[in-house]
Amino acid sequence: MGLMGDRTRLWETRRLVEAPGDGSEQDLTAYGPQAATAEAGDPADLELETARRRAAEAGDPAALSMLGALLLRRGDLDGAERHLRAATADGDRSAANNLGVLLHQRGYGDEAASWWRIAAVAGSAAAAHALGRYHRERGDEPAAEYWLRQSAESGHALGAYALADLLEHRSDVGAERWFRAAAERGHREAAYRLARILDGRAPRARAGGLTGGLGPGGVETSVRELRAAAADSRDGGPAREAEQWYRQAAARGHRRAALHLGTLLEGRGETQEAARWYLTSAKDGESRAACALGFLLRDAGDCESAAVWWRRAAQDGDGNAANALGAMHADRGESGEAERWYRTALDHGDVNGAYNLGLLCAEQGRTAQAEQWYRRAAYAGHREAANALAVLLLQGGDAAGAEPWFSKAAEAGSVDAAFNLGILYAGRDEERMALQWYERAATAGHTEAALQVAIALLRDGDEEAAERHLRIAVRGGSAEAAFRLGSLLDRDDHAHEECEEWYGRAARQGHRRAQVRLGMLVAERGDVVEAAHWYREAAEAGSRNGAFNLGLLLAREGSEPEAALWWARAAEAGHGRAALRLALLAARRGDLTEGRHWCDCAVRLGPAEVAERAARLRDALQQELTA
């Protein structure tokens, strides 16, 4: 949902009728043939018209002007023109402005401008506004600015808005002042535009938070990206002021303001109020709000209602909504429907549709089609598609073809691609280049990249820097990083408690070496039950050290037969010390043949001191057998 891409019209397409006497203005777009019919039948209006006609016939210039304005609002241009021209002859400023409006409606722009000029020189802010708009339409921006500034400085809301729009078009910082002036006088579009300026100034916008990457399946929206970034609005600042102006515009029926207000509220976790504004905006026809409402409903577990709003938005041309529908059907295993909606997203110009089609084909084993869709999205600048294409090529053995796509994706900001480049260079033993890409990915928060950087730093002896990167990787959920952080702290006599904490975190994630180390730590403090638990967890997951240590623990507790079972499992997995223990057990039992068998295993498996002891024991057993 491209919230940053929406733009308003350069100006509103309305001219104003100025009522004589008080200088007030009314919106001409409210009038026309249908309105004229309705007003003509209004007894009060007829009575007013009759009174004004009598005054006009008596030669009252103000009455002529008011009667002309009344007829103009009704759409009776012929009747209005006669009376307005008569009033202008007597120097009525309002009549000059309204005559300009009438002539503009009839297509006589230049003549209209001459009357607006007369009224504007006489002090009509409405005429100055109309004249400024007239000059801008014709490309004369200096003249437009002059008259719009006259109107704005007279307190005219539409003049202030039109001046702000002109200044913003030039990237002039003065635009904000006049948007604010118009907004303070109730101009809803000005309130919205002012909010957009302030919203763009918020820290999250400066940090690039509004244009983040895609979520799973490529269906996340900028509404989602705003949610995490909107926390700064809690403490005031530009985002909080932006919210106030969004509220003013949204309360006056501005559907895009309602959409943006919803994103700010959702970003702060105020999902119920956000949903109300999304609903308001969606009902007014804003497809992006319908899409955002769908995501909100999905997150709340109401997928059926989410699909209703996504379908509505997709039918209105919202590619993100079509992608969301595709992802929903893909999750249900309905690949045909998923493909249909992804193609719809692509037809709506959303390149994520091609990327998602690639993902769908890859999941189905249709590698050639997946490559085609990835290429289409990658050539359109989709960084994750470029990364996926590179992975596909690499899996097919085309490392040379994969590298430029990894590079393109990484340069475009794909963290995964930067990490994959690190793997690619590491596979070529180009450690320096690999480390550069790992560091780049780690800086962007990639967990595995942070782990690889830490391993390289440990290899170079920089334990302090390694610890920092290990802690980053641990925060990302890496069990290996937690184990290595525990191992690093294990060397510090004053960090045993924290060391056990990290071993424990890795052990609970199924890390076998961490389970063994945790078992050893708790065994040292006498907790045999917990030690046995962790040794058993590791052993059952295939750890030969876990099986050996469990055997030692059981043997000490008097369960030698069960200990032998675990030692046998460890020895069969290549643990020399376990084989030696079994040989000693067999020798004590007098089973010389089995003893020699395990001695042979221990000699073969090592390490050296074990092999030496096993060889001496084997010789002794041989002498017993031949005695």
Side-chain angles (χ1 to χ4, degrees):
M1 198 179 304
L3 292 180
M4 293 301 290
D6 61 301
R7 296 290 298 165
T8 61
R9 297 184 299 275
L10 285 178
W11 52 76
E12 298 165 316
T13 57
R14 57 183 178 183
R15 294 288 184 269
L16 298 176
V17 177
E18 185 173 359
D22 60 1
S24 62
E25 298 167 340
Q26 297 169 342
D27 189 343
L28 184 61
T29 58
Y31 307 100
Q34 293 178 351
T37 303
E39 289 195 13
D42 186 340
D45 189 65
L46 288 173
E47 185 178 347
L48 177 61
E49 179 183 349
T50 301
R52 287 179 176 173
R53 283 188 183 278
R54 288 173 183 164
E57 289 168 359
D60 184 348
L64 282 168
S65 181
M66 287 188 286
L67 181 57
L70 176 63
L71 295 172
L72 177 58
R73 288 197 299 270
R74 283 211 196 140
D76 182 358
L77 301 187
D78 291 335
E81 184 173 355
R82 185 176 70 255
H83 291 91
L84 290 173
R85 286 190 181 277
T88 57
D90 289 320
D92 189 283
R93 183 191 76 181
S94 299
N97 174 60
N98 293 338
L99 181 57
V101 172
L102 184 149
L103 291 167
H104 187 272
Q105 285 190 19
R106 284 186 157 170
Y108 302 120
D110 292 342
E111 188 180 356
S114 67
W115 287 109
W116 282 330
R117 183 181 298 275
I118 290 169
V121 170
S124 171
H129 166 244
L131 187 57
R133 294 269 297 283
Y134 167 83
H135 283 297
R136 187 173 182 192
E137 287 169 358
R138 280 152 182 77
D140 187 352
E141 291 195 359
E145 182 179 352
Y146 174 81
W147 289 111
L148 291 176
R149 195 172 292 277
Q150 294 293 318
S151 177
E153 289 176 350
S154 297
H156 193 275
L158 290 178
Y161 172 75
L163 176 59
D165 185 82
L166 177 62
L167 294 174
E168 187 179 57
H169 174 67
R170 298 177 183 170
S171 301
D172 189 321
V173 293
E176 181 181 344
R177 171 196 170 189
W178 293 110
F179 277 136
R180 189 181 298 277
E184 288 172 349
R185 289 172 173 81
H187 194 293
R188 73 174 191 180
E189 186 68 23
Y192 171 72
R193 300 276 290 275
L194 175 60
R196 298 301 295 132
I197 291 172
L198 294 167
D199 206 5
R201 191 179 296 153
R204 57 193 171 84
R206 292 198 302 271
L210 301 181
T211 54
L214 300 169
V219 298
E220 291 291 15
T221 68
S222 54
V223 171
R224 272 297 173 275
E225 296 156 14
L226 282 169
R227 183 174 67 178
D232 64 293
S233 63
R234 294 179 181 177
D235 302 320
R240 175 62 74 181
E241 188 180 359
E243 179 185 340
Q244 295 170 356
W245 292 113
Y246 280 140
R247 282 189 182 278
Q248 176 173 309
R252 292 173 177 269
H254 197 293
R255 69 188 191 187
R256 282 172 295 171
L259 166 65
H260 285 274
L261 178 57
T263 65
L264 287 179
L265 292 166
E266 187 184 358
R268 294 209 303 265
E270 299 174 28
T271 55
Q272 289 188 342
E273 188 179 359
R276 289 197 297 272
W277 286 112
Y278 284 152
L279 181 61
T280 297
S281 181
K283 285 182 175 179
D284 285 340
E286 179 56 65
S287 62
R288 293 172 297 168
C291 181
L293 181 58
F295 281 113
L296 209 57
L297 290 165
R298 181 203 65 180
D299 292 347
D302 189 354
C303 291
E304 294 307 315
S305 296
V308 170
W309 287 104
W310 282 334
R311 191 169 289 109
R312 178 169 172 174
Q315 289 168 350
D316 287 339
D318 191 288
N320 277 300
N323 274 315
L325 283 168
M328 183 185 72
H329 286 292
D331 289 342
R332 295 174 179 175
E334 299 165 356
S335 58
E337 277 295 290
E339 184 169 342
R340 182 172 77 85
W341 283 110
Y342 289 151
R343 287 181 181 274
T344 298
L346 192 56
D347 290 342
H348 291 328
D350 192 331
V351 71
N352 289 331
Y355 172 60
N356 288 333
L357 281 166
L359 291 175
L360 189 65
C361 290
E363 289 169 1
Q364 296 171 344
R366 296 154 58 193
T367 306
Q369 293 93 328
E371 181 179 340
Q372 289 175 0
W373 289 117
Y374 285 151
R375 281 189 186 277
R376 180 167 176 176
Y379 278 120
H382 195 294
R383 66 190 187 191
E384 299 308 328
N387 179 61
L389 174 60
V391 170
L392 204 64
L393 292 170
L394 191 60
Q395 290 172 342
D398 186 3
E403 184 177 348
W405 285 111
F406 277 138
S407 295
K408 190 180 292 289
E411 293 298 342
S414 171
V415 180
D416 287 337
F419 176 67
N420 289 337
L421 271 174
I423 294 175
L424 195 66
Y425 282 113
R428 299 174 182 170
D429 294 327
E430 297 181 40
E431 297 297 336
R432 186 180 61 81
M433 288 297 296
L435 183 58
Q436 286 180 9
W437 285 108
Y438 284 146
E439 287 176 337
R440 183 165 174 172
T443 301
H446 195 287
T447 298
E448 290 303 312
L451 174 61
Q452 292 302 320
V453 172
I455 291 171
L457 290 168
L458 285 171
R459 190 167 55 242
D460 294 340
D462 190 347
E463 294 187 355
E464 184 177 346
E467 182 178 341
R468 287 199 304 271
H469 281 86
L470 286 173
R471 290 185 183 277
I472 292 170
V474 166
R475 286 198 295 271
S478 170
E480 179 67 23
F483 168 71
R484 287 179 179 269
L485 181 56
S487 299
L488 191 61
L489 296 171
D490 210 350
R491 305 170 192 175
D492 185 347
D493 293 336
H494 302 290
H496 280 175
E497 186 174 337
E498 188 182 359
C499 161
E500 184 175 330
E501 175 189 341
W502 296 120
Y503 281 146
R505 179 178 296 194
R508 287 187 290 275
Q509 291 179 253
H511 194 288
R512 294 183 304 180
R513 286 181 295 166
Q515 289 168 341
V516 173
R517 286 296 303 156
L518 183 58
M520 292 170 67
L521 287 181
V522 296
E524 286 175 5
R525 66 167 186 258
D527 193 339
V528 176
V529 175
E530 188 177 355
H533 164 75
W534 288 116
Y535 288 150
R536 193 178 299 275
E537 287 282 321
E540 289 178 348
S543 168
R544 62 189 185 186
N545 285 330
F548 175 70
N549 287 359
L550 180 58
L552 289 177
L553 199 65
L554 291 167
R556 291 188 193 119
E557 295 298 309
S559 300
E560 202 168 72
E562 187 180 356
L565 294 175
W566 289 108
W567 283 335
R569 181 181 291 194
E572 288 166 359
H575 200 290
R577 285 190 171 85
L580 180 58
R581 289 277 176 174
L582 288 168
L584 291 169
L585 279 180
R588 284 205 303 270
R589 290 198 310 269
D591 190 339
L592 304 183
T593 302
E594 184 178 354
R596 285 189 60 193
H597 165 72
W598 288 116
C599 282
D600 288 340
C601 289
V603 168
R604 185 177 71 255
L605 296 172
E609 67 273 14
V610 170
E612 183 181 347
R613 288 183 60 194
R616 289 199 303 268
L617 178 58
R618 182 179 60 186
D619 292 342
L621 293 175
Q622 181 64 31
Q623 291 176 6
E624 287 289 330
L625 282 170
T626 57

